[in-house]
Amino acid sequence: MKINLGDATQLPTSSEARQLQDTVQAHLTPGTGVTPITVALKPDADPATADRISALSPTTQARTLPGGTTVLELQPGGSADGKAATDLVQRIRDARGDQPVQVAGPAAQLVDFREMLADRAPWAAATVLIGIFVLLFAFTGSVLIPLRTIATTLLSLGAALGVVVWVFQDGHLAGLLGSEELGSLSLTAPSLIIAIAFGLAMDYELFILARMREARLLSGDDREAVVTGLRRSGRVVTCAALLLAVVFGAFMTGGFAPILQIGLGLTLAVLIDATIVRMLLVPATMALLGRRAWWAPSPLRRVHERFGLHEEASAESRVPANA
């Protein structure tokens, strides 16, 4: 998956901005009309630094602002967020060394976003996954159920994002949605798809687990609890998923590529999660694991008995959690 800022090619061909960009690309040299990379050198910067940066592009334009700040504008080849532009940003930042030089523009914004994403995304993912594990453990008293939940949810997210990449980045069947091969996804589409779909998947998971746990506490039969829990929650989950699929599917009626990507990704994520994952993989893995699905080490079980989330049950129907 590749992510970029995007340009007018994300708009439908009927829009004026798209028609203008197509005309410019067809008749003028590459890079025409692309926002240049702006470099600001403070008055105390070494003059040799400006020379090194200016030499990186044959079309560099320079001007001096009141106060002594020198501004260089370097025109990249291709699009503002293409490889040529981002590579030029990296070369400029390498050439400046430790001098008081700042680099801005769409290409620099994309480079900074990618670096930020690579640096902080693992921490964000770890925070979400650990939080989900702790909350599901507090609810179920099991260490295997949270792990299984995270794994199956990542499957549905991976499948949905894979289709979005296959359609919009690679161009397969994109014409059916009024788009075309873009070579990348919009900057915001993947993060929104992941965040919203992951939250919805956890919602469906809790619906099903709550009914399974309730049935297990009442009967003590692990296999019957799976059947009963699925029977009591299946229709609710399916109905909720269909409603959301209709809402997200409506996003695909627009012509703006980022909205199309979000609509397709969320629609697929909801449908895959509510059918293949929650209605097939979840009950299948729960049935195969049996009593082991609710296992936890003795120290963690004591923690759950003291701090976990418990529901009241009648005295004659209550079954110990470790039965």
Side-chain angles (χ1 to χ4, degrees):
M1 180 176 64
K2 301 177 182 178
I3 56 173
N4 277 326
L5 295 173
D7 51 25
T9 56
Q10 295 184 338
L11 297 169
T13 54
S14 59
S15 66
E16 293 185 17
R18 172 63 184 277
Q19 292 172 1
L20 175 60
Q21 175 163 309
D22 290 344
T23 302
V24 169
Q25 291 179 345
H27 299 286
L28 301 178
T29 57
T32 302
V34 174
T35 303
I37 298 171
T38 303
V39 182
L41 298 92
K42 294 184 178 180
D44 55 342
D46 185 357
T49 303
D51 296 335
R52 289 197 303 270
I53 295 176
S54 298
L56 296 176
S57 174
T59 59
T60 301
Q61 297 182 0
R63 67 180 187 275
T64 302
L65 301 179
T69 298
T70 301
V71 176
L72 304 177
E73 291 186 345
L74 290 78
Q75 191 69 42
S79 62
D81 54 7
K83 188 176 187 305
T86 55
D87 287 347
L88 181 56
V89 170
Q90 295 288 10
R91 293 200 303 273
I92 293 172
R93 289 177 172 173
D94 291 340
R96 72 181 175 183
D98 57 355
Q99 292 296 307
V101 177
Q102 294 178 318
V103 186
Q109 178 185 347
L110 179 60
V111 170
D112 291 342
F113 180 84
R114 288 174 174 171
E115 291 179 352
M116 178 272 296
L117 199 62
D119 180 57
R120 300 184 184 181
W123 293 101
T127 301
V128 172
L129 297 179
I130 292 172
I132 289 172
F133 182 90
V134 171
L135 290 173
L136 287 179
F137 171 75
F139 180 66
T140 63
S142 167
V143 297
L144 295 182
I145 289 177
L147 293 176
R148 189 267 306 153
T149 298
I150 291 172
T152 54
T153 302
L154 291 177
L155 280 176
S156 61
L157 285 176
L161 285 174
V163 174
V164 173
V165 170
W166 187 74
V167 173
F168 292 98
Q169 181 172 305
D170 299 337
H172 302 286
L173 304 180
L176 297 178
L177 298 176
S179 185
E180 60 189 70
E181 179 182 349
L182 300 175
S184 62
L185 299 186
S186 173
L187 196 68
T188 56
S191 56
L192 285 176
I193 292 172
I194 292 172
I196 297 174
F198 210 98
L200 292 173
M202 291 301 102
D203 195 31
Y204 298 154
E205 179 74 9
L206 283 178
F207 273 134
I208 298 173
L209 284 179
R211 301 289 72 80
M212 289 182 180
R213 180 175 179 270
E214 181 182 72
R216 185 175 184 270
L217 290 174
L218 293 175
S219 67
D221 188 325
D222 295 291
R223 184 170 291 273
E224 180 62 26
V226 174
V227 176
T228 302
L230 190 61
R231 183 172 62 244
R232 291 180 178 177
S233 61
R235 293 182 180 180
V236 174
V237 171
T238 301
C239 184
L242 289 175
L243 288 173
L244 287 172
V246 170
V247 174
F248 294 142
F251 290 4
M252 290 185 284
T253 61
F256 190 41
I259 302 300
L260 296 176
Q261 294 168 20
I262 294 171
L264 179 62
L266 289 177
T267 300
L268 290 175
V270 167
L271 293 178
I272 293 172
D273 192 83
T275 54
I276 297 175
V277 174
R278 304 304 157 196
M279 296 295 107
L280 293 177
L281 291 182
V282 169
T285 53
M286 292 293 289
L288 289 172
L289 289 172
R291 186 168 299 180
R292 294 187 297 274
W294 305 90
W295 174 85
S298 298
L300 289 180
R301 186 166 295 282
R302 288 192 292 269
V303 171
H304 178 262
E305 290 173 353
R306 182 173 181 181
F307 301 105
L309 304 175
H310 300 282
E311 294 178 352
E312 295 296 329
S314 60
E316 53 274 350
S317 62
R318 184 177 296 144
V319 175
N322 58 357

